[in-house]
Amino acid sequence: MSEYIIKNGHVFDPTQGIKGDKKDIAVKDGKIVDKVGSSAKVIDASGKTVMAGALEVHAHVAGPKVNAGRWYRPEDKHFDSHKTAGITRIEGGKSIPTVFKTGYEYARLGFTFAMEAAMPPLYARHVHEEIHDTPIIDEAALPVFGNNWFILEYLKNHEVENTAAYIAWILRQTKGYGVKCVNPGGTEAWAWGLNCLTIHDPVPYFEITPAEIIKGLIEANEYLGLPHSMHLHQNDLGNPGNYKTTIDSLKLAEGIKATNNFGREQVLHSTHLQFHAYKGTNWGDFESGAKEVMDYVNKQKNLTIDTGNVTLDETTTMTADGPFEHHLHGLNHLKWFNVDVELETAAGIVPFIYDPNNAVFASQWAVGLEIALYAKDPMRCFITTDHPNAGPFTRYPRVYSWLMSKKVRDERLNSFKKADKVISATNLANMDREITLYELAAMTRAGPAKCLGLSKDYGGLKAGMNADIAIYNINPDKFPSTGPEIEKAFAQVAYLFKSGKICVEGGKVVDMGHKETFWVDAKVPENKQVMHDIKEKFLRYYSINENNYPVPESYAPHQHIISVDASQ
Amino acid sequence: MAEKKITLNMITCRTIQQGVGMEAGKTSQKYFDACTIMHMHTDDMKRLGLMKNTNVKVTSSVGSVIVKAVETREDLVPGLAHIPMGPWANRIVPAYTFSTGEPCFKGFPVDVEIAASERIMGAVEVLQDACGLIRK
Amino acid sequence: MPKEVTDVICPFCGTLCDDLIVSVSDDNKTILGVKNACAIGAEKFNHQRQPGRVKLPRMRQADGSYKEISYDEAIDWTAKMLVKSRKTLMYGWASTSCQAMSIGHEIAEKVGGIVDNCATVCHGSSLIAIEDVGVPSCTLGEVKNRADRVIFWGCNPAHAHPRHMSRYSIFPRGFFTVKGHKGRKIYCVDCRYTDTAKCADEFIQVQQGFDYELLDAFRTAARGEALPDTVGGVPKEKIYEIVEDLKQARFGVIFFGMGLTHTMGRNHNIDIAINLTRDMNDHTKFAIMAMRGHWNVTGSGQVLGWQYGFPYAVDLSRRDQARHQTGETTSVDLLNRNEVEACFYIATDPGAHFPVNAMISSSRKPTVTIDPHINCTTEISDIHIPVALVGVEVGGCAYRMDNVPIETRKVVDPPEGVLTDEELLTRINKRVDELMAKGGQ
């Protein structure tokens, strides 16, 4: 396998505390090594920024609701379906890219890993078919548990061991990575047209509360010692005043210590926090709750979050928070897609136009930036757009420009049609902080890798780690000063190394690499009760047979399996 | 006094016998038996002076096909006729889609006349004949 | 000793029953019997052992007869046809696996094909409507476990999805529906009293072609507004009565089929049915589901969706862009207007199911048809290439009518020497590459 020496680049690596020093990075046989021979190919990185490949910690990129979004939005391909010369396939879709475009675009941005945020277990085969067809980047998927009938019944009786055994079984059946929890209890209520808006609203029939579900899933996750923590989309998303429910939910993690062999320190990852950080009582007196929420997050070392930044685009919202989507459809009257999934979850989709002329949407934009700017520990706060909910992931460079330059974001803030209203409803105007390249590396590489339990081999440039490396045309000594220049610098890497192979060069895809599907195989003690319950539910309630439920091996030809032994 | 020709509203649909016939093979007897029939309401058969299980000539804006008129198991209303989907039904289905991609499979006018002595073509034959591919 | 293969998925209709038990001869070559299948599924599996399987490609001769040729010759002819043609209709796909479709799409992108599937003459209207207004839906297990009002509108599952009613929609005893049939009220709306109507609690006879008006009347009634005395032949009192009953549902579901997609109004019929369902969600929980016909037409839509962004009628003929516009890129229209230079049919029989004028146009183009059996289309094609029966002789992923993916199984070996779709398409793809490299394209 090839040897490379990346010479003279400005290296930003929080795993080693390197803050822009010029350093050579040596690559051999897919790994970063201490040194290579003289025949190694030289990559001249002088005047460039070198970081590990970025990790997307939460995006909707593969699966049934993503594809439903593609189906029902032919207009999303309008003006945005094309093929570039070279080895790439036709690329399409602005807010919901096709799988080819998803892989290429993430790679062009310097990403080498993406986590599909929500996988309904019944549809796992679909998720893996899409992951299989997505080129270059490694991927994993999080099965959803927060509205699953098994989970609701076990946690009602606080049966953490049974919960853990069932989770382990699902991870194996679906080749899943961890525990995702969306709108706990509320999405089961949605199957009757209802919802759970606070953590104490009981789920119809099952009579368990979101609080019990959240706590129980955190405990089960730690019982198993999974590489990632429980990953939570809180109740009451998107509503003014929801910051209280958010803090109530986060408080459930207090006092719980992370148990795992992967270096993970958090027990709860709270996702797209922007949507959950609103004060006020209605859209008229809507205000940013980012400070209140981040004050809490900053104090609690066992939490990680991702931002969910609004990008002010026409985009598509899609989430397992089914009742929220119905509610959103009632607000903007754009076409609504919904599917309730037996025993497991639901999903909803509604297109959304974050018009900058609208004071509420502009304030949401500010809230998202505040979340990142208030974060004291960049290793615990990651940058996302909850793609495509708050905006397409292809807008990351724009988000970086707002975070890294007060001038650029103030330009945007002051030019809003309702700027006065936005400034008075939020804190952003008074915030001077500018995220540095080093902090960015923490928020997009080292932090997400650690949060996902991958810090041994990913998210950094230490010898021994996987050679996933992004080289940007950014000279830290001459950091670009305008928004468009910052965006351009981050939009197309000079080089992307994926497992030691150059896959993108000069922004152009030159190799499809050898992507892997990551999943977690957790061993638990034999649990006859859970196996009986599974058999029973498949016989009586599911619409497919138990033997047809697992994802066949052929769907993931290259698997990266992380083994966990919780069998004591 | 029986009419020489009556006009009916035609629909073409799946039947279970057509489905079974299809799986037996497009050139099978089962398929032929399932698809070369036209379900008619008894009132319409009376108007035409038609005995059940007699061949009829069915003509639409596209052309004509010979099928066997049968009494339906699934009730029709007078004026409505049904030929199960297949090459015989499609011999007369108008291809116009109204820019939807979907032809007029259900709900188009047809004239029906008795054609007791005319032969029903085979599945392949009825298509090849329309395409001008049968060498005489 | 014969053996039994369990959990077999039936490759016929969109119900995608996955509980079939097939007995197979010891040498893996013959299906001896099948349990749990409906009449159509049983015929499919039992037909496997009939003699007379086509084992080699067949080429049409000048005198109209067919002569056997080798796979290599057929592949070469096909690749040449594809490379030469600037715009090839590549239609069908609904009865093969997702894995095979993926390879087919690679070919289409290279040679400039239009990839269309059977939805184009089936639920295409529904897909257009979904593109316009979205759709509130659910999985079939939700119907089984929760639904207490079920409406079959313009569909006849007794004939087209025979086990649907017993597996999902009328009879099953689910978690919240322990009374089964007795706990559900079943409505059937159709222009004729079908065998499905016989299973319903109430049959509503609508005048053929007036479904749009009747659906509109349901919406109007749901809003408590005035109606004319009859709509589509249905008295207004009945309409108000039914809507009031539907509002009492805990979970209602509308299943619909060709009675809406094929009749006057096409996509507008589904559009308004979806809007009715959406309106009902203001009162209670309601879902709507298309009764997809083929066992994997949904799968073709899914693969086209994630690879190109559209569910069917995907025009790749410019090779640098994917385009989709019903009426322009849909198969029947392309054939009607004579806009393709060659035809490539796989896992389908448009000769039996397209209107004849479209097929007359098709028969004048160089045509290759890929199918396990002789059918109408093969007999007007230049080449017929036989392949293994997917879901019987080779496995592969399929998507049910509610988009749930299920991997079908291989139950017996294909006849000696017969390729699978995946193997055949891979070889065609390779030959296309060779020809294009030579031709410098």
Side-chain angles (χ1 to χ4, degrees):
Chain A
M1 250 261 240
S2 300
E3 289 185 5
Y4 294 90
I5 179 82
I6 303 169
K7 289 190 81 68
N8 272 323
H10 296 264
V11 173
F12 291 88
D13 184 5
T15 68
Q16 299 181 86
I18 305 173
K19 299 186 183 182
D21 302 339
K22 284 199 206 154
K23 199 174 179 295
D24 292 350
I25 308 287
V27 173
K28 182 180 171 168
D29 294 342
K31 297 272 178 215
I32 297 176
V33 293
D34 284 314
K35 55 184 190 320
V36 282
S38 51
S39 60
K41 180 151 195 268
V42 174
I43 304 290
D44 181 12
S46 25
K48 298 200 204 295
T49 292
V50 180
M51 295 186 184
L55 288 91
E56 168 69 88
V57 76
H58 181 112
H60 301 275
V61 288
K65 70 175 180 294
V66 181
N67 223 22
R70 294 186 188 108
W71 269 19
Y72 100 141
R73 297 208 71 190
E75 70 275 13
D76 193 50
K77 267 70 65 178
H78 210 40
F79 304 125
D80 209 351
S81 174
H82 60 275
K83 181 177 158 70
T84 48
I87 61 169
T88 49
R89 301 280 296 269
I90 291 176
E91 304 177 45
K94 218 172 174 65
S95 66
I96 317 171
T98 59
V99 292
F100 305 136
K101 183 170 180 187
T102 299
Y104 305 147
E105 283 294 307
Y106 265 118
R108 291 179 187 128
L109 291 175
F111 281 75
T112 48
F113 179 93
M115 176 68 77
E116 161 52 51
M119 167 165 68
L122 183 62
Y123 285 95
R125 280 160 301 290
H126 182 159
V127 174
H128 283 284
E129 286 211 280
E130 290 201 26
I131 287 180
H132 173 280
D133 280 3
T134 307
I136 306 172
I137 55 173
D138 291 333
E139 281 175 283
L142 292 172
V144 289
F145 290 96
N147 292 282
N148 180 303
W149 286 7
F150 292 88
I151 299 295
L152 298 179
E153 287 176 356
Y154 292 143
L155 289 180
K156 170 106 192 101
N157 301 321
H158 206 244
E159 294 169 8
V160 174
E161 231 176 83
N162 287 344
T163 306
Y166 177 71
I167 290 172
W169 184 80
I170 286 283
L171 291 181
R172 201 167 302 114
Q173 298 285 299
T174 64
K175 302 207 186 319
Y177 195 85
V179 178
K180 176 73 189 294
C181 178
V182 179
N183 192 31
T187 296
E188 163 56 32
W190 174 239
W192 302 116
L194 306 167
N195 198 1
C196 296
L197 290 172
T198 78
I199 62 168
H200 301 297
D201 292 347
V203 180
Y205 178 79
F206 292 92
E207 306 222 311
I208 183 176
T209 63
E212 291 171 290
I213 299 169
I214 293 169
K215 194 103 195 254
L217 285 175
I218 294 175
E219 287 172 2
N221 195 93
E222 296 317 307
Y223 175 99
L224 290 166
L226 299 177
H228 185 38
S229 64
M230 211 278 263
H231 189 127
L232 178 66
H233 157 145
Q234 284 103 196
N235 300 84
D236 205 17
L237 177 141
N239 292 322
N242 65 7
Y243 82 106
K244 293 214 182 89
T245 298
T246 303
I247 295 178
D248 285 345
S249 307
L250 298 177
K251 281 196 164 132
L252 295 166
E254 277 179 18
I256 305 179
K257 218 167 158 292
T259 314
N260 67 99
N261 297 327
F262 301 97
R264 162 174 66 82
E265 288 178 356
Q266 88 280 2
V267 300
L268 182 62
H269 177 82
S270 170
T271 189
H272 42 68
L273 198 58
Q274 174 274 126
F275 285 119
H276 301 274
Y278 301 156
K279 282 196 331 205
T281 57
N282 56 59
W283 295 115
D285 65 12
F286 168 81
E287 275 191 328
S288 165
K291 182 161 198 316
E292 285 78 359
V293 172
M294 287 312 290
D295 276 346
Y296 184 80
V297 170
N298 283 331
K299 277 198 314 238
Q300 298 299 122
K301 308 289 181 214
N302 67 351
L303 294 178
T304 53
I305 63 159
D306 68 80
T307 52
N309 288 105
V310 167
T311 64
L312 300 170
D313 285 297
E314 175 185 326
T315 188
T316 311
T317 64
M318 54 174 67
T319 168
D321 193 332
F324 166 73
E325 292 289 8
H326 178 242
H327 171 70
L328 190 63
H329 167 67
L331 290 178
N332 74 1
H333 305 292
L334 296 179
K335 49 192 174 181
W336 170 53
F337 171 92
N338 179 79
V339 63
D340 295 285
V341 182
E342 65 214 55
L343 283 85
E344 295 179 356
T345 180
I349 310 176
V350 175
F352 202 85
I353 303 169
Y354 288 96
D355 182 357
N357 290 336
N358 177 300
V360 169
F361 307 152
S363 302
Q364 288 175 308
W365 167 86
V367 171
L369 296 174
E370 287 174 29
I371 301 262
L373 296 171
Y374 277 128
K376 290 219 166 84
D377 184 358
M379 285 293 286
R380 292 201 288 121
C381 169
F382 319 133
I383 301 170
T384 63
T385 59
D386 186 21
H387 165 85
N389 285 284
F393 72 82
T394 44
R395 287 294 197 205
Y396 281 150
R398 184 165 295 183
V399 175
Y400 303 158
S401 75
W402 290 322
L403 290 172
M404 299 176 87
S405 164
K406 177 167 168 69
K407 174 168 149 282
V408 172
R409 69 172 172 263
D410 279 353
E411 262 165 26
R412 176 66 276 195
L413 178 63
N414 295 322
S415 63
F416 284 135
K417 186 167 168 194
K418 311 253 172 74
D420 290 342
K421 191 145 194 256
V422 176
I423 288 170
S424 70
T426 61
N427 309 300
L428 191 66
N430 305 323
M431 300 176 81
D432 295 333
R433 181 178 178 196
E434 294 180 332
I435 301 287
T436 64
L437 279 165
Y438 184 70
E439 290 171 320
L440 188 75
M443 296 168 102
T444 56
R445 278 102 170 134
K450 181 177 172 194
C451 167
L452 293 172
L454 294 170
S455 54
K456 183 167 151 290
D457 296 311
Y458 299 91
L461 297 169
K462 267 194 269 208
M465 285 178 156
N466 221 45
D468 289 355
I469 306 165
I471 304 172
Y472 294 100
N473 291 316
I474 299 174
N475 187 338
D477 299 330
K478 293 195 221 134
F479 193 76
S481 56
T482 69
E485 284 173 335
I486 300 176
E487 273 188 68
K488 183 155 177 266
F490 281 109
Q492 309 234 291
V493 285
Y495 292 91
L496 181 86
F497 280 78
K498 176 75 194 72
S499 301
K501 246 193 189 175
I502 297 180
C503 290
V504 181
E505 191 172 332
K508 189 174 159 171
V509 172
V510 297
D511 195 303
M512 294 304 165
H514 179 89
K515 75 154 306 142
E516 290 185 323
T517 304
F518 283 41
W519 65 277
V520 174
D521 189 1
K523 195 157 141 228
V524 287
E526 195 196 359
N527 190 318
K528 291 205 164 93
Q529 178 66 56
V530 171
M531 294 323 291
H532 163 87
D533 293 337
I534 289 169
K535 214 156 230 44
E536 173 94 348
K537 284 203 166 40
F538 271 92
L539 232 67
R540 297 176 66 179
Y541 306 128
Y542 263 111
S543 63
I544 74 170
N545 279 7
E546 191 188 333
N547 287 337
N548 290 324
Y549 194 66
V551 174
E553 293 306 306
S554 56
Y555 284 46
H558 310 291
Q559 296 174 28
H560 179 114
I561 308 173
I562 297 173
S563 296
V564 171
D565 191 347
S567 59
Q568 247 72 302
Chain B
M1 174 65 185
E3 295 165 56
K4 208 164 164 253
K5 193 193 283 196
I6 60 172
T7 304
L8 298 176
N9 184 15
M10 175 65 74
I11 59 175
T12 67
C13 309
R14 155 103 61 222
T15 66
I16 198 164
Q17 295 83 358
Q18 172 264 331
V20 172
M22 199 164 63
E23 293 304 322
K26 292 290 180 9
T27 52
S28 70
Q29 189 62 44
K30 269 189 201 169
Y31 189 64
F32 183 90
D33 290 339
C35 300
T36 53
I37 55 177
M38 181 170 82
H39 301 268
M40 282 176 81
H41 192 276
T42 41
D43 286 4
D44 293 319
M45 290 178 124
K46 283 200 190 98
R47 273 170 61 201
L48 208 46
L50 173 64
M51 299 263 286
K52 66 178 181 193
N53 301 328
T54 309
N55 286 1
V56 290
K57 177 172 169 190
V58 187
T59 307
S60 74
S61 59
V62 176
S64 298
V65 71
I66 308 290
V67 290
K68 183 172 69 177
V70 302
E71 249 172 20
T72 184
R73 266 195 64 240
E74 293 181 302
D75 287 351
L76 293 166
V77 290
L80 190 62
H82 165 215
I83 299 178
M85 59 190 278
W88 297 271
N90 282 308
R91 183 64 186 79
I92 56 166
V93 164
Y96 188 58
T97 76
F98 298 91
S99 289
T100 65
E102 307 255 15
C104 300
F105 289 120
K106 292 172 170 65
F108 60 96
V110 296
D111 286 338
V112 182
E113 314 162 71
I114 300 179
S117 55
E118 293 204 43
R119 181 183 69 88
I120 300 175
M121 292 192 201
V124 169
E125 188 190 356
V126 70
L127 178 64
Q128 283 184 337
D129 176 64
C131 294
L133 289 173
I134 297 190
R135 280 134 221 279
K136 301 283 191 264
Chain C
M1 273 288 301
K3 51 191 167 141
E4 276 195 341
V5 186
T6 58
D7 305 297
V8 175
I9 293 89
C10 177
F12 177 68
C13 77
T15 309
L16 216 56
C17 301
D18 74 323
D19 61 343
L20 270 58
I21 302 173
V22 184
S23 358
V24 171
S25 66
D26 213 24
D27 62 359
N28 257 354
K29 288 201 194 319
T30 312
I31 289 177
L32 303 172
V34 58
K35 287 189 221 157
N36 294 338
C38 72
I40 307 175
E43 185 70 36
K44 175 160 243 168
F45 281 94
N46 288 325
H47 188 62
Q48 180 270 341
R49 63 175 173 275
Q50 294 309 316
R53 263 306 269 282
V54 179
K55 293 195 189 141
L56 276 175
R58 307 156 61 228
M59 183 172 212
R60 190 181 183 81
Q61 306 300 299
D63 67 354
S65 65
Y66 280 80
K67 187 182 123 202
E68 276 185 355
I69 58 174
S70 69
Y71 270 104
D72 278 335
E73 284 178 80
I75 286 163
D76 184 63
W77 198 99
T78 304
K80 284 186 170 129
M81 176 190 89
L82 291 171
V83 170
K84 178 159 185 246
S85 161
R86 289 169 297 178
K87 200 165 178 174
T88 306
L89 175 61
M90 300 179 74
Y91 168 75
W93 310 102
S95 298
T96 186
S97 67
C98 292
Q99 290 86 340
M101 293 166 196
S102 212
I103 306 169
H105 298 172
E106 269 189 63
I107 300 172
E109 212 177 307
K110 276 176 201 163
V111 304
I114 300 178
V115 182
D116 196 9
N117 58 50
C118 302
T120 206
V121 290
C122 185
H123 272 286
S125 305
S126 311
L127 293 168
I128 300 169
I130 291 171
E131 287 173 351
D132 283 336
V133 296
V135 60
S137 193
C138 63
T139 61
L140 287 166
E142 290 285 44
V143 178
K144 169 175 164 173
N145 287 309
R146 300 189 202 261
D148 61 346
R149 295 290 185 280
V150 179
I151 306 169
F152 295 106
W153 197 310
C155 61
N156 193 0
H159 280 259
H161 298 89
R163 295 179 75 219
H164 191 278
M165 300 180 290
S166 58
R167 275 174 69 78
Y168 315 119
S169 48
I170 298 186
F171 298 101
R173 295 176 195 274
F175 192 68
F176 296 105
T177 53
V178 286
K179 290 202 194 137
H181 179 202
K182 296 232 179 331
R184 294 185 176 97
K185 181 144 192 217
I186 313 293
Y187 291 94
C188 180
V189 183
D190 208 303
C191 64
R192 55 190 179 122
Y193 187 64
T194 59
D195 286 330
T196 302
K198 289 177 190 148
C199 302
D201 295 301
E202 195 162 339
F203 169 62
I204 297 113
Q205 179 119 43
V206 61
Q207 197 178 338
Q208 197 283 321
F210 282 76
D211 299 274
Y212 184 92
E213 287 82 348
L214 187 57
L215 285 159
D216 193 25
F218 270 59
R219 288 187 80 192
T220 307
R223 286 153 196 250
E225 292 177 24
L227 284 174
D229 287 338
T230 66
V231 179
V234 182
K236 70 177 177 193
E237 294 75 25
K238 176 57 65 177
I239 296 170
Y240 285 123
E241 180 196 304
I242 294 172
V243 170
E244 275 319 296
D245 177 60
L246 294 178
K247 285 183 181 175
Q248 307 310 312
R250 279 193 323 175
F251 191 113
V253 62
I254 302 175
F255 290 105
F256 68 93
M258 305 296 99
L260 291 186
T261 65
H262 281 173
T263 54
M264 183 54 74
R266 305 288 196 280
N267 53 300
H268 298 291
N269 297 337
I270 291 87
D271 184 315
I272 199 165
I274 290 172
N275 280 323
L276 169 64
T277 310
R278 202 253 340 260
D279 288 353
M280 292 304 294
N281 274 288
D282 290 338
H283 303 280
T284 181
K285 182 74 178 183
F286 243 84
I288 184 167
M289 191 185 309
M291 299 284 268
R292 304 302 301 266
H294 289 72
W295 64 279
N296 209 10
V297 62
T298 306
S300 170
Q302 294 289 354
V303 183
L304 284 170
W306 73 64
Q307 292 190 345
Y308 299 109
F310 308 106
Y312 74 119
V314 180
D315 182 344
L316 302 171
S317 62
R318 281 187 43 159
R319 296 194 253 173
D320 63 354
Q321 197 185 31
R323 297 183 304 165
H324 162 83
Q325 179 60 62
T326 41
E328 298 260 330
T329 60
T330 36
S331 299
V332 172
D333 295 291
L334 289 165
L335 292 171
N336 284 349
R337 292 192 308 266
N338 219 16
E339 282 180 8
V340 296
E341 291 190 331
C343 298
F344 178 97
Y345 297 122
I346 177 167
T348 187
D349 188 6
H353 298 135
F354 274 13
V356 73
N357 284 345
M359 291 319 291
I360 292 170
S361 165
S362 173
S363 69
R364 303 205 169 113
K365 320 267 186 279
T367 305
V368 172
T369 298
I370 299 172
D371 198 285
H373 301 300
I374 291 177
N375 60 31
C376 296
T377 314
T378 59
E379 303 315 283
I380 59 166
S381 302
D382 293 287
I383 296 203
H384 166 209
I385 308 180
V387 282
L389 278 160
V390 187
V392 181
E393 297 164 347
V394 63
C397 189
Y399 284 72
R400 202 167 66 182
M401 65 168 68
D402 57 355
N403 300 300
V404 171
I406 311 181
E407 174 77 4
T408 63
R409 291 171 194 279
K410 171 182 166 159
V411 175
V412 283
D413 293 328
E416 185 84 34
V418 171
L419 297 179
T420 66
D421 286 314
E422 280 181 76
E423 288 166 338
L424 175 64
L425 291 169
T426 302
R427 282 168 63 169
I428 294 174
N429 196 12
K430 186 157 168 280
R431 189 68 191 120
V432 164
D433 282 340
E434 288 167 7
L435 292 170
M436 290 180 94
K438 262 199 285 186
Q441 267 161 297

